[in-house]
Amino acid sequence: MLEKSILRICKQTVKSNILRKYSTKYSIKLDEQVSHAIENNTYKPRKHPGIFKSNNISVPDNIVTSIHNVFQDYPLKAVCEDSKALVNFLYHRHPPAEDREIKEKQKEIENIIINKHAEGKEYDRNEKKNILSKYEPNIRNLLKTQLPQWSSINYTTYTALQYLVSRAAPEYAVLVRIFQELDERYPNFNPRTFFDFGSGVGTGTWAAKLLWEKSLYEYFCVDISSCMNDLADILLKNGYANKPSTVRGLFHRQFLPASNTQYDIVLSAYSLLELPSSNNRFETVLNLWNKTRKFLIIVEQGNSSGFRVTNEARDFILNLPDEKNTAHVFMPCPHDKPCPRFLNDNTPCNFEVSYRTLPLLGSSEYHRERYSYVVLQKSPRNENDVSWPRIVRPTLVKSKHTICRLCTSKGTLEEVIFTASKHGKTSYHCARASKWGDLLPITIEPKS
């Protein structure tokens, strides 16, 4: 019993020392307006303005009805089963290897072959060339296995249906979550025009219509697959080609228009990895930025590949030399500096949303989807804008403390352990109520 008591006291001492170490690392100050509102019972800490709730998002009932009508002519069960391979392929997709990467890897393989073949001898250039010519098939095979392989997808009618049943629900939920926060954080925003690059089955249109149906009068959708465009069009006609569309001002095209007509919202969702090189991605992103009047929104899957191309596009726009096209990150970053997640570790900066699967083969289920995104606003950052830190990992709620991993306005990642004794009850309860992806209404200053 004595040994157990000593062990318990030691654990408590170590735990308190750890808490003391981290909790005194920063000076935490709750936003004055938020503090005043909570003190006057305007709202509770669990409903502070940094929280954005969007639970269990479902595809609209009229779209679900359209999907059922479309599948009167197709084998639904077979399509659902075959879609699993497509989902797996999309999730594990890498950006295509660049010429520089290929040359570096080839040089590395060639050096290994020469060193193994030489056994201490010195070869001149011609001798090395003769040796490598014998191993040319091996070098090609090694390049294929050691570099990410990329291939385009030909979206036929059947492939488009596979994409619909497997990806429509999670992608729609992600876009609704992003659009909802944009709508809340930018009050009185009434976009008139919407441009969707890589529009697919139309999830961007569904989400934009949900938020801004009263103000939008033009939806311009571009997808290189005519089968995708046809399916997206039919889904907005109750599942029948001869019915009128339920969306006014809807246009579908296969290619980006040459004109620089600008749109209030420009969206590229799950499309950049469809492009065959970084140069193609940069050209496309610049084209989309030139078409942007207010917001450019880029969304990809929340894995390493999706985060990489999202961050690549973010940095590209922020570093454009044209002063007329001054940009800043509206969401999710509270800063325009290089992404600290990309610089400091090998995990993606991503977020999570809960959604309901399509009720096609029985009842729907609740799943979660991870995504990486950036919303770029075409204007300089206002010095008076709220720059609260963003919670970039799940909040760890313990018995008497709460751990928040934050991305701050200084472009750093910080881990703050909140306790009521050190930071005050109001700040502590705000932290406990906040979730992954929320903003925390505080300012963080390192103590001297």
Side-chain angles (χ1 to χ4, degrees):
M1 290 295 291
L2 181 60
E3 291 178 355
K4 289 183 178 179
S5 299
I6 293 172
L7 182 61
R8 184 169 61 253
I9 292 170
C10 289
K11 285 183 177 179
Q12 290 173 348
T13 304
V14 170
K15 183 177 180 182
S16 63
N17 287 339
I18 291 173
L19 284 176
R20 190 176 300 113
K21 174 186 174 184
Y22 281 98
S23 60
T24 57
K25 189 176 180 181
Y26 306 101
S27 171
I28 305 295
K29 184 180 179 182
L30 187 65
D31 183 272
E32 290 184 3
Q33 291 185 357
V34 173
S35 177
H36 183 73
I38 292 173
E39 288 174 2
N40 289 283
N41 293 320
T42 304
Y43 48 75
K44 301 290 185 182
R46 66 176 180 271
K47 292 186 178 180
H48 70 75
I51 291 177
F52 303 98
K53 290 187 177 180
S54 53
N55 296 324
N56 304 326
I57 298 170
S58 304
V59 172
D61 291 339
N62 65 310
I63 300 295
V64 174
T65 300
S66 296
I67 294 172
H68 281 292
N69 291 337
V70 165
F71 274 101
Q72 291 178 1
D73 301 324
Y74 297 96
L76 175 57
K77 190 173 183 179
V79 172
C80 291
E81 188 63 31
D82 293 341
S83 68
K84 295 177 182 177
L86 176 63
V87 170
N88 186 63
F89 176 81
L90 291 171
Y91 184 79
H92 293 96
R93 204 177 197 190
H94 293 275
E98 302 298 324
D99 291 340
R100 174 185 54 80
E101 295 176 284
I102 296 171
K103 289 178 181 178
E104 288 178 357
K105 180 59 69 174
Q106 183 171 344
K107 189 67 176 177
E108 181 184 325
I109 294 171
E110 288 176 352
N111 288 336
I112 292 172
I113 292 173
I114 292 296
N115 290 335
K116 285 186 177 181
H117 201 275
E119 296 181 351
K121 299 178 184 179
E122 289 291 334
Y123 290 110
D124 61 26
R125 186 175 179 180
N126 289 330
E127 288 175 322
K128 289 181 180 179
K129 190 174 181 180
N130 291 333
I131 292 171
L132 293 175
S133 65
K134 298 177 183 178
Y135 289 94
E136 189 174 343
N138 305 72
I139 294 172
R140 285 199 301 267
N141 290 333
L142 285 170
L143 284 172
K144 287 181 180 179
T145 57
Q146 295 188 21
L147 287 175
Q149 299 301 305
W150 179 91
S151 61
S152 60
I153 303 175
N154 179 25
Y155 282 102
T156 62
T157 300
Y158 193 76
T159 316
L161 291 171
Q162 291 177 349
Y163 197 94
L164 171 65
V165 299
S166 59
R167 293 298 303 159
E171 290 184 10
Y172 172 74
V174 167
L175 296 178
V176 168
R177 170 65 179 81
I178 295 170
F179 289 177
Q180 282 179 341
E181 182 176 348
L182 173 60
D183 189 52
E184 286 185 36
R185 288 192 58 197
Y186 201 82
N188 303 318
F189 178 46
N190 297 306
R192 303 281 288 161
T193 53
F194 173 74
F195 186 96
D196 190 357
F197 171 73
S199 52
V201 296
T203 50
T205 298
W206 309 345
K209 181 175 180 290
L210 177 71
L211 270 296
W212 301 294
E213 181 179 11
K214 292 182 179 179
S215 62
L216 283 172
Y217 72 86
E218 182 180 358
Y219 302 77
F220 199 103
C221 302
V222 174
D223 198 290
I224 196 170
S225 169
S226 60
C227 296
M228 279 285 201
N229 289 331
D230 292 342
L231 180 57
D233 189 56
I234 288 174
L235 289 172
L236 294 172
K237 295 180 176 179
N238 202 33
Y240 301 103
N242 58 351
K243 296 285 185 180
S245 177
T246 58
V247 177
R248 61 175 180 173
L250 177 64
F251 304 95
H252 284 100
R253 299 289 185 271
Q254 276 189 269
F255 304 101
L256 279 168
S259 67
N260 277 336
T261 302
Q262 292 191 325
Y263 299 80
D264 293 326
I265 300 176
V266 175
L267 171 69
S268 170
Y270 306 94
S271 302
L272 293 183
L273 280 172
E274 298 289 337
L275 302 175
S277 71
S278 60
N279 284 337
N280 289 116
R281 294 196 295 274
F282 290 140
E283 289 173 4
T284 300
V285 170
L286 181 59
N287 197 334
L288 296 178
W289 184 244
N290 289 333
K291 295 182 183 302
T292 302
R293 181 180 294 117
K294 200 70 178 179
F295 292 105
L296 171 61
I297 303 172
I298 295 172
V299 189
E300 294 290 339
Q301 297 210 46
N303 53 19
S304 296
S305 297
F307 170 54
R308 172 183 161 184
V309 297
T310 303
N311 187 67
E312 173 188 84
R314 173 190 183 274
D315 288 349
F316 175 74
I317 295 297
L318 291 178
N319 289 291
L320 284 176
D322 189 356
E323 294 181 359
K324 295 180 181 178
N325 287 342
T326 304
H328 75 275
V329 180
F330 187 78
M331 297 173 357
C333 321
H335 62 87
D336 300 327
K337 298 176 176 63
C339 175
R341 179 72 67 191
F342 186 79
L343 295 176
N344 298 325
D345 65 34
N346 57 0
T347 60
C349 179
N350 54 21
F351 302 93
E352 198 172 69
V353 66
S354 176
Y355 70 95
R356 292 184 65 178
T357 58
L358 292 171
L360 300 178
L361 296 173
S363 60
S364 60
E365 300 175 343
Y366 294 115
H367 287 187
R368 302 193 73 83
E369 174 77 2
R370 291 189 179 181
Y371 59 97
S372 293
Y373 80 105
V374 64
V375 179
L376 295 156
Q377 185 173 358
K378 206 165 198 176
S379 67
R381 184 179 291 275
N382 191 328
E383 293 181 358
N384 297 322
D385 281 352
V386 170
S387 55
W388 297 339
R390 175 85 61 173
I391 300 176
V392 292
R393 286 291 182 264
T395 304
L396 304 178
V397 178
K398 306 299 182 179
S399 60
K400 292 185 179 181
H401 66 280
T402 297
I403 304 173
C404 293
R405 279 73 62 87
L406 306 168
C407 181
T408 73
S409 60
K410 299 184 184 299
T412 60
L413 293 174
E414 307 292 354
E415 182 176 281
V416 181
I417 301 177
F418 288 88
T419 63
S421 60
K422 293 292 183 182
H423 304 104
K425 288 185 178 180
T426 306
S427 298
Y428 173 61
H429 287 298
C430 283
R432 288 180 73 85
S434 303
K435 306 295 182 185
W436 183 9
D438 290 338
L439 296 173
L440 200 55
I442 61 171
T443 54
I444 302 177
E445 293 294 339
K447 284 190 174 181
S448 58

